[in-house]
Amino acid sequence: MARAGLSVERLVTAAAEMADEVGFDRVSVSALARRFGVKDASLYSHVRGLQDLRTRLALHAGGELIDRIAAAVAGRAGKEALTAFAGAYRAYALEHPGRYAATQIRVDRSLIADSPELRRTAEITYGMLRAYGLAEPDLTDAVRLLRSTFHGYCVLEGAGGFGADRDVRASWDKAVDALHITLEHWPREGESESDGESESDGETDGRATAPAATAPAATAARRD
């Protein structure tokens, strides 16, 4: 491809396609330059280097993921919203394994406040969980539970890690049902007691930590 017409948007789109084709770890400035038929130096007027490219890819993928989740959960609440959220998350992770892997990298914290993708991810994820009556720090705990469950399941499924005869979709649905029950009966901060005293880990300052893109979205740039 000719050098003319190169832009950040075209490079990130091509990097996203490459990630799905060969794996996120194999995305590099050199590989991308070869795809466009140019020298590496031609790309440095658009991206500062590999870390910059991967960060942009992570935010791009996180935006795609949260757009899909937002469309799925629109007009829903409670179990319906959770089921739609989970289904959109799983579908994206399985359809776009390279892009999904990008959402799991840690991004420079200075970029988080300026990322509309991450702000939207936080708004949608926390909004869904507030419908269960949760407030901080339980919100952050619940986000971590959902993210670790969804991520772990999708990574294992994508790698063919489930060998039993049980249908993987049936197990996924059961897991989402279990998460719904857990969220409805969440052990809120300060409620559990041991020897007559309430337990706390000392982190009850109401941190408003945003989940990734990916997490769950996005998580690239996760703050949890």
Side-chain angles (χ1 to χ4, degrees):
M1 300 176 70
R3 179 181 307 182
L6 284 182
S7 66
V8 172
E9 291 74 20
R10 287 191 69 195
L11 293 177
V12 172
T13 298
E17 294 170 352
M18 183 184 298
D20 284 341
E21 292 167 8
V22 302
F24 174 68
D25 290 341
R26 298 184 66 181
V27 174
S28 68
V29 173
S30 295
L32 195 58
R34 288 194 297 273
R35 176 166 291 212
F36 280 92
V38 300
K39 295 183 180 299
D40 294 10
S42 299
L43 273 61
Y44 287 112
S45 59
H46 303 285
V47 295
R48 293 189 297 273
L50 179 59
Q51 187 58 44
D52 183 41
L53 175 63
R54 289 184 170 179
T55 296
R56 292 178 185 275
L57 172 53
L59 295 175
H60 172 80
E64 289 184 334
L65 175 56
I66 196 56
D67 284 347
R68 183 176 292 199
I69 289 173
V73 304
R76 294 181 167 88
K79 185 177 181 181
E80 285 190 358
L82 177 63
T83 301
F85 188 114
Y89 186 105
R90 175 173 174 262
Y92 187 86
L94 296 179
E95 291 169 17
H96 300 289
R99 301 181 204 206
Y100 175 71
T103 69
Q104 300 304 305
I105 69 169
R106 183 170 292 279
V107 172
D108 188 327
R109 296 176 70 88
S110 66
L111 300 176
I112 292 174
D114 297 326
S115 169
E117 298 91 351
L118 295 179
R119 287 197 300 272
R120 192 165 184 231
T121 297
E123 290 168 1
I124 292 172
T125 306
Y126 278 78
M128 178 187 70
L129 291 172
R130 286 192 182 97
Y132 282 96
L134 299 180
E136 289 291 9
D138 295 311
L139 275 171
T140 294
D141 294 339
V143 166
R144 289 173 173 172
L145 174 62
L146 295 190
R147 180 183 169 208
S148 57
T149 301
F150 295 165
H151 176 65
Y153 199 101
C154 290
V155 169
L156 285 169
E157 182 178 0
F162 296 126
D165 291 337
R166 171 72 163 168
D167 178 66
V168 293
R169 176 56 189 266
S171 294
W172 171 266
D173 291 342
K174 188 71 70 174
V176 174
D177 287 345
L179 286 173
H180 169 65
I181 293 171
T182 298
L183 291 170
E184 281 198 318
H185 301 280
W186 190 265
R188 287 166 174 74
E189 187 74 10
E191 287 184 355
S192 59
E193 297 184 353
S194 177
D195 297 327
E197 296 181 0
S198 106
E199 297 178 347
S200 172
D201 61 3
E203 297 183 359
T204 58
D205 56 354
R207 300 180 308 284
T209 51
T214 273
T219 334
R222 55 189 180 274
R223 296 178 62 186
D224 63 346

